[in-house]
Amino acid sequence: MAQTFDVIVIGAGPAGYIAAVRAAQLGMKTACVEEWKTPQGIGALGGTCLNTGCIPSKALLESSENYERVRHKFESHGIAIAGAKIDLAKMMARKDSIVTKMTKGIEFLFKKNNITWLKGHATLVGKGGAGWQVEVSGDGGTDVAEGKAIIIATGSKARHLPDLPVDNEVVCDNVGALSFTEVPKRLGVIGAGVIGLELGSVWRRLGAKVTVLEVLPSFLAAADESIAKAAWKIFNERQKLDIQLGVTIVKTQVGKKGVSIDYEQDGKPLKLECDRLVVSIGRIPNTDRLGAENVGLKIDERGFIEVDAHCRSNLQNVFAIGDVVRGPMLAHKGEEEGVMVAELIAGQKAHVNLETIPWVIYTSPEIAWVGRTEQQLREEGTPYRVGQFPFTINGRALSQDETEGFVKMLAHAKTDEILGVHIINTHASELIAEAVVAMEFRACSEDVARIVHAHPSLSEVMHEAALAVDKRALNM
Ligand code: FAD
Ligand code: NAI
């Protein structure tokens, strides 16, 4: 007899595990199928985000930033530290222990909420008396479970280049790049996107000479143009992260000790020799081996499951959320879709506003934004006003010695509604939350300008940017 559930979630990344928790909170009998195994062969929940994405990358970002602070920033505070050095094995062990703590935390949440973890690979196989049938094959054999509703949260994997196999030793994707056993002398990175910049910065701070090869002629095309310009100056010119734009990879040759890359730039043939290479050219949805063809689940030409605004697929009671569907590939976007779908299955009303999803790039300084960029508003022909204010004259930023960057607010020229907020600053990931709340409540720049902000705090720069929209910044 097949085990039956009200809801079967496939995938326990941030989208799937949150969907399972919310479904269980709402009183539904819930199972979650997850096949992930650690390098030691132990089953693990949490998906890409916890195991090989958001969490380990942020742990290494923090460690490498501390190393940089000790070497270059403490001196101005009157703190002299001689002989700072890296213990990479310890740094990696710290990262791994954070990952384990977090993934075990989800196991705890599953137990607390009576969620059944079905260990193994899920394949959709058909329809039975109690709902959709999911075959689960794991170490213990193969079983079939039935769910009245199915939530597919199978996430994504790194895109690789066709003729460049990833071994995660010399040629790496995010998995290998988070686990080097020594700091490479020369690190090559293909793709100056989010992963390329974040992990490129980590290894640069730890001592590697990093060269990033990017196919596009412009830097950070998705970000606001003023932010991209400022970031270019900081990363490329000041921090010496060598980013080459408008590059076409012609040939790669991999040896035991390194990689040689022939590429073209401005019609000129060039070569990059590196000890390790990170390929970070985007991610592709996990829809292969899911059994979509067995049940007629619609997949689009790029491999994403087709869904409507409420994450409903073409099949009744089959939903899909997170990286496996349209929209930004971000953990928090998937989580909110998970909550929405669980509530819809329970008969509640729910929605996710994709227009107010914050983006953060965890470089140093960080880059964060929500809403439209200035170039988008220009292209759309939307009339707007801009308010921009720098961190250079903010007391808190000066006390922290972190004065790079600014807040830029874009508001509708007629209604004053905030249309976008863009930040480059060490604490941009925290500061953006105010802008998200303001935009979710459809606030005007005037609203933020009239709200009291604590002094001295970095949030005063948001306040001043809002005032600057109306050309009445007070401290400039
Ligand atoms: P995933 O996290 O990919 O989880 C999917 C799960 O489904 C996996 O555990 C997989 O094993 C399982 N699965 C797949 N198919 C099956 C099957 N058939 N049967 C059983 N199980 C299956 N996002 C942010 O918001 N902030 C960040 O700072 C950030 N940093 C990142 C850093 C890196 C290096 C990377 C690679 C990504 C980062 N991301 C970040 C993106 C984030 O990790 C993803 O958006 C997020 O993990 C997507 O969640 P998900 O639940 O949709 O999928
Ligand atoms: P990305 O889409 O951010 O960047 C990929 C870059 O590679 C682009 O600039 C693209 O133009 C370039 N590129 C593509 N093909 C190329 C080629 N053949 N040669 C040279 N350059 C090429 O993808 P990335 O960095 O792999 O990250 C994947 C996703 O993971 C991100 O889009 C994001 O959704 C998520 N992520 C989020 C983070 C965060 O929220 N802080 C951190 C890391 C990842």
Side-chain angles (χ1 to χ4, degrees), residues 20-90:
V21 169
R22 188 70 188 120
Q25 278 179 348
L26 291 164
M28 291 181 271
K29 187 181 172 200
T30 306
C32 184
V33 194
E34 175 56 68
E35 64 180 341
W36 194 288
K37 283 194 175 160
T38 65
Q40 294 74 33
I42 301 163
L45 301 170
T48 305
C49 171
L50 269 67
N51 291 285
T52 58
C54 322
I55 300 303
S57 62
K58 266 79 249 179
L60 292 182
L61 282 159
E62 200 59 37
S63 298
S64 65
E65 279 173 27
N66 277 340
Y67 182 56
E68 184 131 303
R69 280 183 201 116
V70 167
R71 293 199 312 150
H72 302 298
K73 294 225 159 136
F74 281 9
E75 209 186 332
S76 67
H77 291 261
I79 304 168
I81 297 179
K85 56 178 196 293
I86 300 162
D87 181 341
L88 190 60
K90 198 165 177 180

Side-chain angles (χ1 to χ4, degrees), residues 345-409:
I345 294 169
Q348 298 186 356
K349 287 197 166 66
H351 80 289
V352 173
N353 182 5
L354 291 179
E355 298 296 316
T356 52
I357 305 275
W359 272 90
V360 179
I361 306 178
Y362 293 84
T363 39
S364 178
E366 296 174 349
I367 292 169
W369 73 87
V370 56
R372 319 302 266 172
T373 61
E374 186 167 355
Q375 61 269 28
Q376 278 174 331
L377 293 178
R378 221 174 25 236
E379 277 157 28
E380 291 165 8
T382 307
Y384 63 91
R385 293 193 296 171
V386 186
Q388 190 168 314
F389 200 86
F391 285 92
T392 34
I393 50 173
N394 173 266
R396 191 74 198 278
L398 278 162
S399 72
Q400 293 172 339
D401 201 9
E402 301 282 5
T403 53
E404 275 174 331
F406 53 85
V407 174
K408 173 173 172 178
M409 187 176 283

